[in-house]
Amino acid sequence: MSPTNPTIALADGTQIPVLALGVWQAKDGPETENAVRWALEAGYRHIDTAQAYGNEESVGRGIRASGVPRDEIYVTTKFYPESKDPAAEAERSLDRLGLDYLDLYIIHWPAGGPTWAWPGMETAKDKGFARSIGVSNFSVEELDALLAIADQRPVINQVQFSPFAYRRGLLDACTERQVVVEAYSPLGTGRHLDDKKVAEIAERVGRTPAQVLIRWAVQKDVVVLPKSTHKDRIEENGQVFDFELSDEDMAALDSLDRTGATTEARTDKWWS
Ligand code: A2P
């Protein structure tokens, strides 16, 4: 994948690889460790985990087992917002991962409101625990509340994003605010792979439904985090930089949106 493994520039001057392996719901132990190693062997250079996933130690083992140098890999974890102290929790994540810095540290969801954790996130960055800081599951309203108090601006908002959860209002507002969107559940946790329209486009372009959904996200200029624990699927999901979807196919996929171009990150705010 290498020469075609693109990055996006973030507002803080760093670069983030467009394709990441997501490890939500990957079990701690060999399942996560192997998935991370296979992804890095297949050319992925970005791994996305979280304190809440309980698999950071396995992510660290997978990274070391791959033999890929640390400085070639982009590692994200997320602050579990039922904890109190983002900087202290970042240091604990680093211990579990066996790393001495995170590339990206984001608030997992706006539990208790969008602003209280931000000074601690800024401290995590100032102390060198994380090179970039951002958020996840923030609506435009929550992002604006945060921007109003931030000394250092969030550079990422990671949200559920796919043709079926297009959230165009949120994407456009993030872009205006120089916040890059990351797409989690780009395959709808597997549900969208059987959609007729997706299957028809995949068949016509000679690709798989997963590749079509991931490519759609790439062409929206977002970072995309497909999850798999299977070697063949991890490899398949990485083969998305050697073809392009036409404007017609992109428009057909756009029309699958069920969010009404929302500016919200979630309909079910499980934390409130
Ligand atoms: P598994 O981990 O068993 O391979 P999302 O990225 O939207 O969260 O979707 C992840 C789900 O989709 C997981 O259940 C994963 O299963 C499945 N999946 C990931 N990639 C593929 C693929 N290329 N083909 C079929 N299923 C896939």
Side-chain angles (χ1 to χ4, degrees):
M1 245 196 296
S2 296
T4 48
N5 192 350
T7 58
I8 295 178
L10 298 180
D12 60 11
T14 61
Q15 296 277 331
I16 186 168
V18 165
L19 179 74
L21 178 76
V23 294
W24 178 45
Q25 293 179 335
K27 286 195 205 74
D28 197 30
E31 183 167 285
T32 296
E33 185 178 332
N34 286 331
V36 168
R37 180 169 56 83
W38 290 329
L40 293 170
E41 286 169 358
Y44 291 57
R45 287 296 177 267
H46 181 175
I47 309 293
D48 181 279
T49 184
Q51 291 161 357
Y53 302 167
N55 57 18
E56 290 174 314
E57 286 181 15
S58 304
V59 168
R61 278 197 295 274
I63 288 172
R64 286 187 290 284
S66 75
V68 177
R70 166 68 183 103
D71 63 0
E72 291 179 19
I73 307 174
Y74 194 97
V75 181
T76 299
T77 198
K78 311 187 189 80
F79 172 58
Y80 176 61
E82 307 298 337
S83 307
K84 294 285 169 270
D85 183 342
E89 297 303 331
E91 204 170 10
R92 291 193 183 107
S93 281
L94 290 173
D95 278 351
R96 287 188 292 268
L97 287 158
L99 299 177
D100 55 13
Y101 67 93
L102 301 164
D103 292 279
L104 175 65
Y105 189 41
I106 60 185
I107 301 176
H108 208 153
W109 57 81
T115 57
W116 70 267
W118 196 248
M121 297 296 287
E122 291 173 331
T123 304
K125 184 166 185 247
D126 291 341
K127 287 189 164 179
F129 299 154
R131 299 206 163 155
S132 296
I133 49 176
V135 298
S136 179
N137 293 303
F138 274 47
S139 66
V140 175
E141 204 182 324
E142 287 156 343
L143 200 54
D144 282 341
L146 174 52
L147 287 168
I149 62 105
D151 288 328
Q152 304 183 55
R153 296 164 62 90
V155 293
I156 286 284
N157 188 12
Q158 181 178 128
V159 299
Q160 182 197 49
F161 192 85
S162 73
F164 301 81
Y166 181 8
R167 307 184 190 283
R168 189 167 197 163
L170 182 58
L171 176 63
D172 289 348
C174 284
T175 305
E176 279 166 24
R177 289 157 180 74
Q178 293 184 284
V179 172
V180 168
V181 166
E182 293 188 323
Y184 75 70
S185 301
L187 314 176
T189 63
R191 289 188 313 282
H192 303 331
L193 296 169
D194 296 330
D195 179 81
K196 253 179 66 186
K197 187 83 222 170
V198 174
E200 181 206 303
I201 293 172
E203 170 98 34
R204 186 156 34 72
V205 302
R207 293 289 173 150
T208 66
Q211 288 171 329
V212 166
L213 290 167
I214 296 165
R215 181 69 206 181
W216 175 87
V218 169
Q219 288 181 220
K220 292 293 173 192
D221 296 325
V222 305
V223 175
V224 59
L225 328 167
K227 176 261 176 184
S228 178
T229 52
H230 292 90
K231 190 168 191 274
D232 53 341
R233 291 175 175 176
I234 291 169
E235 289 169 357
E236 173 188 328
N237 296 349
Q239 301 301 315
V240 291
F241 299 113
D242 56 349
F243 75 108
E244 205 166 325
L245 294 169
S246 67
D247 292 348
E248 293 73 28
D249 286 340
M250 287 297 286
L253 292 165
D254 291 355
S255 72
L256 298 172
D257 179 42
R258 295 175 189 150
T259 71
T262 185
T263 59
E264 291 291 331
R266 297 291 309 185
T267 39
D268 57 330
K269 298 193 177 194
W270 67 84
W271 58 87
S272 59

